[in-house]
Amino acid sequence: MVTSTQQNILTVDAEAVVVGVFSDSGMTNPAMAIDRAGGGLLARLIESKEVAGKPYELTSLWSPPGLKAPLALVVGLGEQARFDQGMAYRAAAAAARQLAGRQRGRVAFYLPGGPNGEFTASGISGALVGCQGQDLYRAEKKRHPIGEIAWAEASDAALAAGNIIGENINLARLLVNEPPQEIFPASFTARAAEIAQECGLEIEIWDQDRLERERCGSLLAVAQGSVRPPRLVMLRHSGGRPDQRPLAFIGKGVTFDSGGLSLKPSDSMKTMKCDMAGAATVLAALTAISRLKLPVNVVGIAGLVENMPSGSAMKLGDVLTARNGKTIEVQNTDAEGRLVLADVLDVALGLKPSKMVDLATLTGACVVALGVDVAGAMTNRQAWCDEVLAAARTCGEPLWQLPMFAEYRDDIRSEVADIRNTGDGRWAGAIAGGKFLEEFVGDVPWVHLDIAGPAFYDKPKPWLDAGGSGMFVRTLVELARTHSGN
Ligand code: BES
Ligand code: MN
Ligand code: ZN
């Protein structure tokens, strides 16, 4: 947990202090204090371009003169005018990641919080996220949680928000990073139940029986190849007026995606434990929203299945009947996420949401289109999509909209059933996924986030170890916040 400190940077009790330097305007005030105490040490480093203030650049100053702490870590913040929540988050995470490289006691952060402290909470979250790694099962860890993180000039509200959001980003990352023999539908919902109990979320879990009674034929078809029975979980936070329609967040929870009979090549399958990242994001966001006591009604729903090939697996050519009555011709069992979401979206509609957002590691095509760092957004209502894009921009989580022209509907036309579960060959695969999901959202304003790229890093970033990223937890919380009181 991050606590606050009022102590002066020169005399603070800490093993290390963290200060920032901009690439254009140079030292922040705390950096200047170190510079003055050290007789212009930092100014000389900047002068000689040893310290340039580029994003995530890290420079360790050992035993800087005039400082009680034995180490000052200088982190680059980029251009001052572009400093935002995203940069505050990632710069703090980069510094924490470096410091967590070995066991440490107390560390004090003196990073800028923006003109009105509006970036402080993001920085605090970043510091918590930077010191958690993915080496859950290694004897010798790469990251060691910092004993105590102290933050200068943090309001109580920023501290609370930063801690809660940071902890829940780490929860989402942990659930993604846990191996698939640990996280499967029933174990995921068991964890969700524990968490819901702790933070006071209402929870409802549907087992195989209930899913059958609810005629979730599309989700069940994906699950039928696995010995692990499926689950659906609903979480409810009622912070708003009783008559206020809830926001609905919906997550794809494929706890392992082998591709089914349309088996993935081994290399593509290696990281497919990440295919429940949407569900993890929704659980983490609902937990954070509940702990922040936001005055808004939100429901979170996730469909949990394992996609496996077996004698009982669904086949190519099978025709499924989804919960909303539409028939689906299966053309590729690896396009399973949309089959799961089809029924989960219909369950969500039953809760009369005002607006919906689904999050899914849905298509490799989205990664081809936008790269590994950017998620794709698709919508049936531009005004709602604009709000989601704005929330993502506020948080510094990269999101880019893809078109949903009516013509794309042809891509999912079937000769046998109402629709088929794949698009037209190689083209516009991410959008075909979006068009498929659109068939299941009725008239409710909806945004689909294809997070196949940024949900899971194959390689480490300067600010984060490889593995689950927890990306879009912050955007969902921001959406709930901007909707408060509506
Ligand atoms: N889970 C995958 C998508 C994915 C790819 C997630 C890479 C994360 C990283 C999804 O279920 C899938 O297999 N999609 C297919 C769809 C196709 C068969 C229409 C794909 O992208 O190839
Ligand atoms: Mn798949
Ligand atoms: Zn998948």
Side-chain angles (χ1 to χ4, degrees), residues 250-336:
I250 293 121
K252 168 179 172 181
V254 176
T255 59
F256 184 70
D257 182 10
S258 70
L261 289 179
S262 311
L263 196 65
K264 285 183 185 296
S266 196
D267 268 346
S268 321
M269 212 189 288
K270 280 181 191 159
T271 56
M272 277 304 136
K273 65 175 181 180
C274 81
D275 217 16
M276 36 59 75
T281 309
V282 168
L283 172 60
L286 264 285
T287 308
I289 290 164
S290 162
R291 289 185 53 202
L292 289 166
K293 301 190 169 61
L294 296 186
V296 59
N297 296 335
V298 187
V299 294
I301 315 182
L304 296 144
V305 302
E306 199 179 62
N307 186 24
M308 296 293 280
S310 76
S312 62
M314 67 173 165
K315 304 168 195 71
L316 286 76
D318 272 354
V319 174
L320 320 176
T321 305
R323 189 172 186 267
N324 76 349
K326 291 198 181 176
T327 56
I328 306 164
E329 185 188 10
V330 176
Q331 291 283 283
N332 190 321
T333 62
D334 199 10
E336 85 297 340

Coordinates of all heavy atoms in Angstrom, one line a residue, residues 250-336:
I250 N -19.0 -6.3 -19.8 CA -19.1 -7.7 -20.2 C -17.7 -8.2 -20.6 O -17.0 -7.5 -21.4 CB -20.1 -7.9 -21.3 CG1 -21.5 -7.5 -20.8 CG2 -20.1 -9.3 -21.9 CD1 -22.2 -6.4 -21.5
G251 N -17.3 -9.4 -20.1 CA -16.0 -9.8 -20.4 C -15.9 -11.2 -21.0 O -16.7 -12.1 -20.6
K252 N -15.0 -11.4 -22.0 CA -14.7 -12.7 -22.5 C -13.8 -13.5 -21.5 O -12.8 -13.0 -21.2 CB -14.1 -12.6 -23.9 CG -13.5 -13.9 -24.4 CD -12.8 -13.8 -25.8 CE -12.1 -15.1 -26.2 NZ -11.5 -15.0 -27.5
G253 N -14.3 -14.7 -21.1 CA -13.5 -15.4 -20.2 C -13.2 -16.8 -20.7 O -13.6 -17.8 -20.1
V254 N -12.4 -16.9 -21.7 CA -12.0 -18.2 -22.2 C -10.7 -18.5 -21.5 O -9.6 -17.9 -21.7 CB -11.8 -18.2 -23.8 CG1 -11.2 -19.5 -24.2 CG2 -13.1 -17.9 -24.4
T255 N -10.7 -19.4 -20.5 CA -9.6 -19.6 -19.6 C -8.4 -20.3 -20.3 O -7.3 -20.2 -19.8 CB -10.0 -20.4 -18.3 OG1 -10.6 -21.7 -18.7 CG2 -11.1 -19.6 -17.6
F256 N -8.7 -21.0 -21.4 CA -7.7 -21.4 -22.3 C -8.3 -21.6 -23.7 O -9.3 -22.3 -23.8 CB -7.0 -22.7 -21.8 CG -5.9 -23.1 -22.7 CD1 -4.7 -22.4 -22.7 CD2 -6.0 -24.2 -23.6 CE1 -3.6 -22.7 -23.5 CE2 -4.9 -24.6 -24.4 CZ -3.7 -23.8 -24.4
D257 N -7.6 -21.1 -24.7 CA -8.1 -21.2 -26.0 C -7.1 -22.0 -26.9 O -6.1 -21.5 -27.4 CB -8.3 -19.8 -26.6 CG -8.8 -19.8 -28.1 OD1 -9.3 -20.9 -28.5 OD2 -8.9 -18.8 -28.7
S258 N -7.5 -23.3 -27.0 CA -6.6 -24.2 -27.9 C -7.0 -24.0 -29.3 O -6.3 -24.5 -30.2 CB -6.9 -25.6 -27.5 OG -8.2 -26.0 -27.8
G259 N -8.2 -23.4 -29.6 CA -8.7 -23.3 -30.9 C -9.9 -24.3 -31.1 O -10.6 -24.2 -32.0
G260 N -9.9 -25.3 -30.3 CA -10.9 -26.4 -30.5 C -10.4 -27.3 -31.6 O -9.2 -27.4 -31.9
L261 N -11.4 -27.9 -32.4 CA -11.0 -28.7 -33.5 C -10.3 -27.9 -34.6 O -9.4 -28.4 -35.3 CB -12.3 -29.4 -34.1 CG -12.9 -30.5 -33.3 CD1 -14.1 -31.0 -33.9 CD2 -11.9 -31.6 -32.9
S262 N -10.5 -26.6 -34.7 CA -9.7 -25.7 -35.5 C -8.5 -25.4 -34.7 O -8.2 -24.2 -34.4 CB -10.5 -24.5 -35.9 OG -11.8 -24.8 -36.4
L263 N -7.7 -26.4 -34.4 CA -6.6 -26.3 -33.4 C -5.6 -25.2 -33.8 O -5.2 -25.1 -35.0 CB -5.9 -27.7 -33.3 CG -5.0 -27.9 -32.2 CD1 -5.8 -27.9 -30.9 CD2 -4.3 -29.3 -32.3
K264 N -5.2 -24.5 -32.9 CA -4.1 -23.5 -33.1 C -2.8 -24.1 -33.3 O -2.5 -25.2 -32.6 CB -4.0 -22.5 -31.9 CG -5.1 -21.5 -31.8 CD -4.9 -20.5 -30.6 CE -6.0 -19.6 -30.4 NZ -6.2 -18.6 -31.5
P265 N -1.9 -23.6 -34.1 CA -0.5 -24.0 -34.0 C 0.1 -23.8 -32.7 O -0.3 -22.9 -31.9 CB 0.2 -23.2 -35.1 CG -0.8 -22.3 -35.7 CD -2.1 -22.4 -34.9
S266 N 1.1 -24.6 -32.3 CA 1.6 -24.6 -30.9 C 2.1 -23.2 -30.5 O 1.8 -22.8 -29.4 CB 2.8 -25.6 -30.9 OG 3.1 -25.8 -29.6
D267 N 2.7 -22.5 -31.4 CA 3.3 -21.2 -31.1 C 2.2 -20.2 -30.7 O 2.3 -19.4 -29.8 CB 4.1 -20.6 -32.2 CG 5.6 -21.0 -32.0 OD1 5.9 -21.4 -30.9 OD2 6.3 -20.8 -33.0
S268 N 1.0 -20.2 -31.4 CA -0.1 -19.3 -31.2 C -0.8 -19.7 -29.9 O -1.5 -18.9 -29.3 CB -1.1 -19.3 -32.3 OG -0.4 -19.4 -33.5
M269 N -0.6 -20.9 -29.4 CA -1.4 -21.4 -28.3 C -0.7 -21.1 -27.0 O -1.3 -21.1 -25.9 CB -1.5 -22.9 -28.4 CG -2.8 -23.5 -27.8 SD -2.8 -25.3 -27.8 CE -3.0 -25.7 -29.5
K270 N 0.7 -20.8 -27.1 CA 1.5 -20.7 -25.9 C 0.9 -19.7 -24.8 O 1.1 -19.9 -23.6 CB 2.9 -20.2 -26.2 CG 3.8 -21.3 -26.8 CD 5.1 -20.8 -27.1 CE 6.0 -21.8 -27.8 NZ 7.1 -21.1 -28.6
T271 N 0.4 -18.6 -25.3 CA -0.1 -17.6 -24.4 C -1.6 -17.5 -24.2 O -2.1 -16.5 -23.7 CB 0.4 -16.2 -24.8 OG1 0.0 -15.9 -26.1 CG2 2.0 -16.1 -24.8
M272 N -2.2 -18.6 -24.6 CA -3.7 -18.5 -24.7 C -4.4 -18.6 -23.3 O -5.6 -18.7 -23.2 CB -4.3 -19.5 -25.7 CG -4.2 -18.9 -27.1 SD -5.1 -17.3 -27.2 CE -4.0 -16.3 -28.2
K273 N -3.6 -18.7 -22.2 CA -4.2 -18.5 -20.9 C -4.7 -17.0 -20.8 O -5.5 -16.7 -19.9 CB -3.1 -18.8 -19.8 CG -2.0 -17.8 -19.8 CD -1.0 -18.0 -18.7 CE 0.1 -17.0 -18.7 NZ 1.1 -17.2 -17.6
C274 N -4.2 -16.2 -21.7 CA -4.6 -14.7 -21.6 C -6.0 -14.5 -22.1 O -6.5 -13.3 -22.1 CB -3.6 -13.9 -22.3 SG -3.9 -13.8 -24.1
D275 N -6.7 -15.5 -22.6 CA -7.9 -15.3 -23.3 C -9.1 -15.0 -22.4 O -10.2 -14.8 -22.8 CB -8.2 -16.5 -24.2 CG -8.8 -16.1 -25.5 OD1 -8.8 -14.9 -25.9 OD2 -9.4 -17.0 -26.2
M276 N -8.8 -15.0 -21.1 CA -9.8 -14.6 -20.1 C -9.6 -13.1 -19.6 O -10.1 -12.7 -18.5 CB -9.9 -15.6 -18.9 CG -8.7 -16.2 -18.4 SD -7.5 -15.0 -17.9 CE -8.2 -14.6 -16.3
A277 N -8.7 -12.4 -20.3 CA -8.3 -11.1 -19.8 C -9.5 -10.1 -19.7 O -9.6 -9.3 -18.8 CB -7.3 -10.5 -20.7
G278 N -10.5 -10.3 -20.6 CA -11.7 -9.4 -20.6 C -12.4 -9.7 -19.3 O -12.9 -8.7 -18.6
A279 N -12.6 -10.9 -18.9 CA -13.3 -11.3 -17.7 C -12.6 -10.8 -16.5 O -13.2 -10.2 -15.5 CB -13.5 -12.8 -17.6
A280 N -11.2 -10.9 -16.5 CA -10.4 -10.4 -15.4 C -10.5 -8.9 -15.2 O -10.6 -8.4 -14.1 CB -9.0 -10.8 -15.6
T281 N -10.6 -8.2 -16.4 CA -10.7 -6.7 -16.4 C -12.0 -6.3 -15.7 O -12.1 -5.4 -15.0 CB -10.5 -6.2 -17.8 OG1 -9.4 -6.7 -18.4 CG2 -10.5 -4.7 -17.8
V282 N -13.1 -7.0 -16.1 CA -14.4 -6.7 -15.6 C -14.5 -6.9 -14.1 O -14.9 -6.1 -13.3 CB -15.5 -7.5 -16.4 CG1 -16.8 -7.4 -15.6 CG2 -15.6 -7.0 -17.8
L283 N -13.9 -8.1 -13.7 CA -13.9 -8.4 -12.2 C -13.1 -7.3 -11.4 O -13.6 -6.8 -10.4 CB -13.4 -9.8 -12.0 CG -13.1 -10.2 -10.5 CD1 -14.4 -10.1 -9.7 CD2 -12.5 -11.6 -10.4
A284 N -12.0 -7.0 -12.0 CA -11.1 -6.0 -11.3 C -11.8 -4.6 -11.3 O -11.7 -3.9 -10.2 CB -9.7 -5.9 -12.0
A285 N -12.4 -4.2 -12.4 CA -13.0 -2.9 -12.4 C -14.2 -2.9 -11.4 O -14.4 -1.9 -10.7 CB -13.5 -2.6 -13.8
L286 N -15.0 -3.9 -11.4 CA -16.2 -3.9 -10.5 C -15.7 -3.9 -9.0 O -16.3 -3.2 -8.2 CB -17.0 -5.2 -10.7 CG -18.2 -5.1 -11.6 CD1 -19.4 -4.3 -10.9 CD2 -17.9 -4.4 -12.9
T287 N -14.6 -4.6 -8.7 CA -14.1 -4.6 -7.4 C -13.6 -3.1 -7.0 O -13.9 -2.6 -5.9 CB -12.9 -5.5 -7.3 OG1 -13.3 -6.8 -7.7 CG2 -12.4 -5.7 -5.8
A288 N -12.9 -2.5 -7.9 CA -12.4 -1.2 -7.7 C -13.6 -0.2 -7.5 O -13.6 0.6 -6.6 CB -11.5 -0.7 -8.8
I289 N -14.6 -0.3 -8.4 CA -15.7 0.6 -8.3 C -16.5 0.5 -7.0 O -16.9 1.4 -6.4 CB -16.7 0.3 -9.5 CG1 -16.0 0.8 -10.8 CG2 -18.0 1.0 -9.3 CD1 -16.7 0.2 -12.1
S290 N -16.6 -0.8 -6.6 CA -17.2 -1.1 -5.3 C -16.4 -0.5 -4.1 O -17.0 0.2 -3.2 CB -17.4 -2.6 -5.1 OG -17.7 -2.9 -3.8
R291 N -15.1 -0.7 -4.1 CA -14.3 -0.2 -3.0 C -14.2 1.3 -3.0 O -14.0 1.9 -2.0 CB -12.9 -0.9 -3.1 CG -13.0 -2.3 -2.7 CD -11.6 -3.0 -2.6 NE -10.7 -2.2 -1.7 CZ -9.4 -2.3 -1.8 NH1 -8.8 -3.1 -2.6 NH2 -8.7 -1.6 -0.9
L292 N -14.3 1.9 -4.2 CA -14.4 3.4 -4.3 C -15.7 4.0 -4.0 O -15.9 5.2 -3.9 CB -14.0 3.8 -5.7 CG -12.5 3.6 -6.1 CD1 -12.3 3.8 -7.7 CD2 -11.6 4.6 -5.4
K293 N -16.7 3.1 -3.8 CA -18.1 3.5 -3.5 C -18.6 4.5 -4.4 O -19.2 5.5 -4.0 CB -18.1 4.0 -2.0 CG -17.7 3.0 -1.0 CD -18.0 3.6 0.4 CE -17.8 2.5 1.5 NZ -16.4 2.0 1.6
L294 N -18.4 4.3 -5.7 CA -18.9 5.3 -6.7 C -20.4 5.3 -6.7 O -21.0 4.2 -6.7 CB -18.3 4.9 -8.1 CG -16.8 5.0 -8.3 CD1 -16.4 4.8 -9.7 CD2 -16.3 6.4 -7.8
P295 N -21.0 6.5 -6.8 CA -22.5 6.6 -6.7 C -23.1 6.3 -8.1 O -23.7 7.1 -8.7 CB -22.7 8.0 -6.3 CG -21.5 8.8 -6.9 CD -20.4 7.8 -6.8
V296 N -23.0 5.0 -8.5 CA -23.5 4.6 -9.8 C -23.9 3.1 -9.7 O -23.3 2.4 -8.9 CB -22.4 4.9 -10.9 CG1 -21.1 4.2 -10.5 CG2 -22.9 4.6 -12.3
N297 N -24.8 2.7 -10.6 CA -25.1 1.3 -10.7 C -24.3 0.7 -11.8 O -24.4 1.2 -12.9 CB -26.6 1.1 -10.9 CG -27.4 1.6 -9.7 OD1 -26.9 1.7 -8.6 ND2 -28.7 2.0 -10.0
V298 N -23.6 -0.4 -11.5 CA -22.8 -1.1 -12.5 C -23.0 -2.6 -12.4 O -23.0 -3.1 -11.3 CB -21.3 -0.7 -12.4 CG1 -20.5 -1.3 -13.6 CG2 -21.1 0.7 -12.3
V299 N -23.2 -3.3 -13.5 CA -23.1 -4.7 -13.5 C -22.0 -5.2 -14.3 O -21.6 -4.6 -15.3 CB -24.4 -5.4 -14.0 CG1 -25.6 -5.1 -13.1 CG2 -24.7 -5.0 -15.4
G300 N -21.4 -6.3 -13.9 CA -20.3 -6.9 -14.6 C -20.6 -8.3 -14.9 O -21.1 -9.0 -14.0
I301 N -20.5 -8.8 -16.1 CA -20.9 -10.2 -16.5 C -19.8 -10.8 -17.3 O -19.2 -10.1 -18.2 CB -22.2 -10.2 -17.3 CG1 -23.2 -9.3 -16.7 CG2 -22.7 -11.6 -17.3 CD1 -24.5 -9.3 -17.5
A302 N -19.4 -12.0 -16.9 CA -18.4 -12.7 -17.7 C -18.8 -14.1 -18.0 O -19.5 -14.8 -17.2 CB -17.1 -12.7 -16.9
G303 N -18.5 -14.6 -19.2 CA -18.8 -15.9 -19.6 C -17.5 -16.7 -19.6 O -16.5 -16.3 -20.2
L304 N -17.5 -17.8 -18.9 CA -16.2 -18.5 -18.6 C -16.3 -19.9 -19.2 O -17.2 -20.7 -18.8 CB -15.9 -18.6 -17.1 CG -15.7 -17.2 -16.6 CD1 -16.3 -17.0 -15.2 CD2 -14.2 -16.8 -16.6
V305 N -15.4 -20.2 -20.1 CA -15.3 -21.5 -20.7 C -13.9 -21.9 -21.0 O -13.0 -21.0 -21.1 CB -16.1 -21.6 -22.1 CG1 -17.5 -21.2 -21.9 CG2 -15.4 -20.7 -23.1
E306 N -13.6 -23.2 -21.3 CA -12.3 -23.6 -21.8 C -12.6 -24.1 -23.2 O -13.5 -24.9 -23.4 CB -11.8 -24.7 -20.9 CG -10.3 -25.0 -21.0 CD -9.9 -26.1 -20.0 OE1 -10.4 -27.2 -20.2 OE2 -9.1 -25.8 -19.1
N307 N -11.8 -23.7 -24.2 CA -12.1 -24.1 -25.6 C -11.1 -25.2 -26.0 O -9.9 -25.0 -26.1 CB -11.9 -22.9 -26.5 CG -12.2 -23.2 -28.0 OD1 -13.0 -24.1 -28.2 ND2 -11.6 -22.5 -28.9
M308 N -11.6 -26.5 -26.0 CA -10.8 -27.6 -26.2 C -11.3 -28.5 -27.3 O -12.5 -28.6 -27.5 CB -10.7 -28.4 -24.9 CG -10.1 -27.7 -23.7 SD -8.3 -27.4 -23.9 CE -7.7 -29.1 -23.5
P309 N -10.3 -29.2 -28.0 CA -10.8 -30.3 -28.9 C -11.0 -31.6 -28.2 O -10.2 -31.9 -27.2 CB -9.6 -30.4 -29.8 CG -8.4 -30.1 -29.0 CD -8.9 -29.2 -27.9
S310 N -12.0 -32.3 -28.6 CA -12.2 -33.6 -27.9 C -13.3 -34.3 -28.7 O -13.8 -33.8 -29.6 CB -12.6 -33.5 -26.5 OG -14.0 -33.1 -26.4
G311 N -13.6 -35.6 -28.3 CA -14.7 -36.3 -29.0 C -16.0 -35.6 -28.8 O -16.9 -35.9 -29.6
S312 N -16.1 -34.8 -27.8 CA -17.4 -34.1 -27.6 C -17.4 -32.6 -28.1 O -18.4 -31.9 -27.9 CB -17.8 -34.2 -26.1 OG -16.8 -33.5 -25.3
A313 N -16.3 -32.2 -28.7 CA -16.2 -30.8 -29.1 C -17.2 -30.4 -30.2 O -17.6 -31.3 -31.0 CB -14.8 -30.5 -29.5
M314 N -17.5 -29.2 -30.2 CA -18.4 -28.7 -31.4 C -17.6 -28.9 -32.7 O -16.4 -28.9 -32.7 CB -18.8 -27.3 -31.2 CG -17.7 -26.2 -31.2 SD -18.4 -24.6 -31.2 CE -16.9 -23.7 -30.8
K315 N -18.4 -29.0 -33.7 CA -17.7 -29.3 -35.0 C -18.0 -28.2 -36.0 O -18.9 -27.4 -35.9 CB -18.3 -30.6 -35.6 CG -18.2 -31.8 -34.7 CD -19.0 -33.0 -35.2 CE -19.2 -34.0 -34.1 NZ -20.1 -33.6 -33.0
L316 N -17.1 -28.2 -37.0 CA -17.4 -27.2 -38.1 C -18.6 -27.6 -38.9 O -18.7 -28.8 -39.2 CB -16.1 -27.2 -39.0 CG -14.9 -26.4 -38.4 CD1 -14.2 -27.3 -37.4 CD2 -14.0 -25.9 -39.5
G317 N -19.5 -26.7 -39.1 CA -20.8 -27.1 -39.7 C -21.9 -27.2 -38.7 O -23.1 -27.1 -39.1
D318 N -21.6 -27.3 -37.4 CA -22.6 -27.3 -36.4 C -23.4 -26.0 -36.5 O -22.9 -25.0 -36.8 CB -22.0 -27.4 -35.0 CG -21.8 -28.9 -34.5 OD1 -22.2 -29.8 -35.3 OD2 -21.2 -29.0 -33.5
V319 N -24.7 -26.2 -36.2 CA -25.6 -24.9 -36.1 C -26.0 -24.8 -34.7 O -26.7 -25.7 -34.2 CB -26.7 -25.0 -37.1 CG1 -27.7 -23.8 -36.9 CG2 -26.2 -25.1 -38.6
L320 N -25.7 -23.7 -34.1 CA -26.1 -23.4 -32.7 C -27.2 -22.5 -32.6 O -27.4 -21.6 -33.5 CB -24.9 -22.8 -32.0 CG -23.5 -23.3 -32.3 CD1 -22.4 -22.5 -31.6 CD2 -23.4 -24.8 -32.0
T321 N -28.0 -22.6 -31.6 CA -29.1 -21.6 -31.3 C -28.7 -20.8 -30.1 O -28.6 -21.4 -29.0 CB -30.5 -22.3 -31.1 OG1 -30.7 -23.2 -32.3 CG2 -31.6 -21.3 -31.0
A322 N -28.5 -19.6 -30.3 CA -28.1 -18.7 -29.2 C -29.3 -18.4 -28.3 O -30.4 -18.6 -28.7 CB -27.5 -17.4 -29.7
R323 N -29.0 -17.8 -27.2 CA -30.1 -17.5 -26.2 C -31.1 -16.6 -26.8 O -32.3 -16.7 -26.4 CB -29.4 -16.9 -24.9 CG -30.4 -16.7 -23.8 CD -29.6 -16.3 -22.6 NE -30.4 -16.2 -21.3 CZ -31.0 -15.1 -20.9 NH1 -31.0 -14.0 -21.6 NH2 -31.7 -15.2 -19.8
N324 N -30.7 -15.7 -27.7 CA -31.7 -14.8 -28.2 C -32.5 -15.4 -29.4 O -33.2 -14.7 -30.1 CB -31.0 -13.4 -28.6 CG -30.2 -13.5 -29.9 OD1 -30.0 -14.6 -30.4 ND2 -29.8 -12.4 -30.4
G325 N -32.2 -16.7 -29.7 CA -33.0 -17.3 -30.8 C -32.3 -17.4 -32.1 O -32.6 -18.1 -33.0
K326 N -31.2 -16.6 -32.3 CA -30.5 -16.6 -33.6 C -29.7 -17.9 -33.8 O -29.2 -18.4 -32.8 CB -29.6 -15.4 -33.7 CG -30.4 -14.1 -33.8 CD -29.6 -12.9 -34.4 CE -30.5 -11.7 -34.4 NZ -29.8 -10.5 -34.8
T327 N -29.7 -18.3 -35.0 CA -28.9 -19.5 -35.3 C -27.5 -19.2 -35.9 O -27.4 -18.2 -36.7 CB -29.7 -20.5 -36.3 OG1 -29.9 -19.7 -37.5 CG2 -30.9 -21.0 -35.7
I328 N -26.5 -19.9 -35.5 CA -25.2 -19.6 -35.9 C -24.5 -20.9 -36.5 O -24.5 -21.9 -35.9 CB -24.3 -19.2 -34.7 CG1 -25.0 -18.0 -33.9 CG2 -22.9 -18.9 -35.1 CD1 -24.4 -17.9 -32.5
E329 N -24.0 -20.7 -37.7 CA -23.2 -21.8 -38.3 C -21.8 -21.7 -37.9 O -21.2 -20.6 -38.1 CB -23.4 -21.7 -39.9 CG -22.7 -22.8 -40.6 CD -22.7 -22.6 -42.1 OE1 -23.0 -21.5 -42.6 OE2 -22.3 -23.6 -42.8
V330 N -21.3 -22.8 -37.4 CA -19.9 -22.8 -36.9 C -19.0 -23.1 -38.1 O -19.1 -24.1 -38.7 CB -19.6 -23.8 -35.8 CG1 -18.2 -23.9 -35.4 CG2 -20.5 -23.5 -34.6
Q331 N -18.1 -22.1 -38.4 CA -17.2 -22.3 -39.5 C -15.8 -22.4 -39.1 O -14.9 -22.8 -39.8 CB -17.3 -21.1 -40.5 CG -18.6 -21.1 -41.2 CD -18.7 -22.1 -42.4 OE1 -18.1 -21.8 -43.4 NE2 -19.4 -23.2 -42.1
N332 N -15.5 -22.0 -37.8 CA -14.2 -22.1 -37.3 C -14.3 -22.2 -35.8 O -14.9 -21.2 -35.2 CB -13.3 -20.9 -37.7 CG -11.9 -21.1 -37.4 OD1 -11.5 -21.6 -36.3 ND2 -11.0 -20.7 -38.3
T333 N -13.9 -23.3 -35.1 CA -14.1 -23.4 -33.7 C -13.2 -22.5 -32.9 O -13.3 -22.3 -31.7 CB -13.9 -24.8 -33.2 OG1 -12.6 -25.2 -33.5 CG2 -14.9 -25.7 -33.9
D334 N -12.2 -21.9 -33.6 CA -11.3 -20.9 -33.0 C -11.9 -19.5 -32.9 O -11.3 -18.6 -32.2 CB -9.9 -20.9 -33.7 CG -8.8 -20.3 -32.9 OD1 -9.0 -20.1 -31.7 OD2 -7.7 -20.1 -33.4
A335 N -13.0 -19.3 -33.5 CA -13.7 -18.0 -33.4 C -14.8 -18.2 -32.3 O -16.0 -18.1 -32.5 CB -14.4 -17.6 -34.7
E336 N -14.3 -18.6 -31.1 CA -15.1 -19.0 -30.0 C -15.5 -17.9 -29.1 O -16.6 -17.9 -28.4 CB -14.4 -20.1 -29.1 CG -13.5 -19.6 -28.0 CD -12.3 -18.8 -28.6 OE1 -11.9 -18.9 -29.8 OE2 -11.7 -18.0 -27.8

